[in-house]
Amino acid sequence: MTIYFVFRLICVIFVPRKLTNNDMEQTKCLIIGSGPAGYTAAIYAGRANLSPIEYCGMQPGGQLTQTTEVENFPGYPQGVDANQMMMEIREQAERFGADIRDGEIVKVDFSKAPYVCTADDGTEIAAETVIIATGSSAKYLGLDDERKYNGQGVSACATCDGFFYRKKTVAVVGGGDTACEDALYLSGLAKKVYMIVRKPFLRASQVMQQRVMERENIEILFEHNTLGLFGENGVEGAHLVKRKGEADEELVDIAIDGFFLAIGHTPNTKIFREWLETDEVGYFKKINGTPETKIPGIFVAGDCADPVFRQAVVAAGSGCQAAILAERYLLGR
């Protein structure tokens, strides 16, 4: 009998045991991402007594924190600092019991419920529902000056920041539909808009090209590339090169107050693509325009599932929808 118990003790100490869902941290609702969509989902999930766990990701507060002042979010008639606004929404979520954590979810297993998600510190969580609100990242040219002047003249959201450039001169980088839309929007605010296009033509649809060409205060700089930006207290101009690498290459400087990137966004959906459907760019596909996905209990919200609007108020609304659907899903079970 003594030998038997010694053997059992050795097995307990030395034989590895496979973890089960019962060994993991459990939650009714796991929220991945912390922009307006993620934090709003946490508010609604918290008020529904789901005790949600939320992982903030690499950029707590989301892409919105890269801008300065927000003037188009309801409830702030005088505008609000973007970081302050996101902190206030986070505090509201925490008030209702959301467990908001720093860190990133790096691996998921959506093969069966509860769904297992692994954080970058090795923590494994078994979640009955998951709301993915990982957002998207604006594409940049990769210039050091883009980081230097971030929030001081460099922006990736014309509708967010265009108001600050009323009666000023700005430049939009890109030649597709998004760039044309941004240029048209800014032309209604700014004194002059340059479009910096590296090709000798626009890639936008014919109707968008025509609208841009007809707008008097838009000037298209074809076959131009940006080399850098300059300015003492923010962006004051851009160094360009025309027909780079050609015999008639020419260096050009333009005076501008704002520099807008419109060369696309990359949805932060890579680790989920094995399980969920995305379009050709990588944005999540939703069912009938709702935050639902093909996997029951998995919901998507915010810019990671929105290639069109990319606005904070729209993202917040989709976070609300996702949390309500998560609660209904759990009640239905």
Side-chain angles (χ1 to χ4, degrees):
M1 184 67 70
T2 302
I3 295 175
Y4 171 77
F5 281 114
V6 170
F7 174 75
R8 291 286 294 172
L9 181 61
I10 292 172
C11 288
V12 169
I13 295 174
F14 294 104
V15 177
R17 180 168 59 92
K18 184 177 180 180
L19 288 173
T20 67
N21 285 341
N22 290 330
D23 298 307
M24 301 176 189
E25 190 171 359
Q26 309 284 315
T27 185
K28 292 180 180 179
C29 181
L30 175 65
I31 301 167
I32 306 174
S34 62
Y39 283 156
T40 303
I43 291 171
Y44 276 80
R47 292 182 76 250
N49 292 322
L50 301 186
S51 300
I53 296 173
E54 179 175 12
Y55 273 83
C56 287
M58 294 296 291
Q59 191 174 28
Q63 188 178 184
L64 193 67
T65 58
Q66 290 187 332
T67 189
T68 51
E69 189 174 3
V70 177
E71 293 193 326
N72 56 1
F73 197 90
Y76 297 97
Q78 303 304 318
V80 61
D81 177 81
N83 285 277
Q84 176 189 339
M85 186 181 83
M86 295 314 302
M87 184 59 67
E88 289 174 352
I89 300 176
R90 173 176 176 149
E91 290 173 357
Q92 189 175 0
E94 289 175 326
R95 174 192 165 198
F96 292 114
D99 179 357
I100 301 179
R101 306 176 180 180
D102 293 329
E104 185 178 11
I105 296 297
V106 295
K107 181 181 178 182
V108 298
D109 182 353
F110 292 163
S111 58
K112 62 180 180 179
Y115 306 108
V116 178
C117 301
T118 306
D120 51 6
D121 63 357
T123 300
E124 290 187 314
I125 300 172
E128 295 180 51
T129 63
V130 178
I131 297 174
I132 304 170
T134 47
S136 65
S137 300
K139 294 180 180 178
Y140 286 81
L141 298 174
L143 305 173
D144 289 339
D145 288 337
E146 289 173 316
R147 290 190 295 271
K148 177 181 177 181
Y149 294 106
N150 186 32
Q152 300 181 66
V154 173
S155 172
C157 183
T159 52
C160 302
D161 300 327
F163 181 81
F164 301 110
Y165 298 91
R166 290 178 61 117
K167 309 301 181 184
K168 296 184 178 182
T169 300
V170 299
V172 176
V173 181
D177 279 327
T178 299
C180 287
E181 289 173 3
D182 286 358
L184 287 166
Y185 173 78
L186 290 166
S187 70
L189 300 168
K191 176 177 63 177
K192 183 178 180 64
V193 179
Y194 289 105
M195 287 189 69
I196 303 172
V197 183
R198 62 187 179 89
K199 294 183 179 293
F201 56 85
L202 294 173
R203 295 180 291 104
S205 59
Q206 286 298 318
V207 64
M208 292 303 295
Q209 291 188 41
Q210 183 176 350
R211 289 174 183 171
V212 166
M213 298 287 190
E214 292 175 349
R215 195 61 61 93
E216 292 183 358
N217 62 338
I218 296 179
E219 180 180 347
I220 305 175
L221 303 176
F222 289 112
E223 295 185 274
H224 281 69
N225 286 272
T226 306
L227 298 177
L229 303 170
F230 61 87
E232 292 295 325
N233 298 307
V235 171
E236 296 177 3
H239 299 299
L240 310 179
V241 57
K242 181 179 180 181
R243 292 180 57 79
K244 183 178 180 180
E246 301 297 328
D248 57 348
E249 176 180 301
E250 179 184 356
L251 298 178
V252 179
D253 283 356
I254 58 173
I256 56 174
D257 304 290
F259 185 78
F260 289 85
L261 282 302
I263 53 178
H265 286 72
T266 301
N268 303 320
T269 59
K270 186 175 181 180
I271 68 168
F272 309 103
R273 294 178 192 176
E274 176 185 353
W275 308 99
L276 300 176
E277 292 181 309
T278 63
D279 65 14
E280 63 277 5
V281 178
Y283 289 96
F284 288 124
K285 290 184 177 181
K286 300 181 288 186
I287 295 179
N288 297 326
T290 74
E292 293 178 295
T293 69
K294 68 175 185 178
I295 302 179
I298 305 294
F299 306 93
V300 294
D303 286 8
C304 61
D306 177 13
V308 179
F309 299 106
R310 296 194 297 271
Q311 296 297 300
V313 67
V314 177
S318 67
C320 162
Q321 293 176 332
I324 289 174
L325 289 174
E327 179 190 11
R328 291 178 181 174
Y329 170 80
L330 292 170
L331 289 173
R333 296 183 67 191

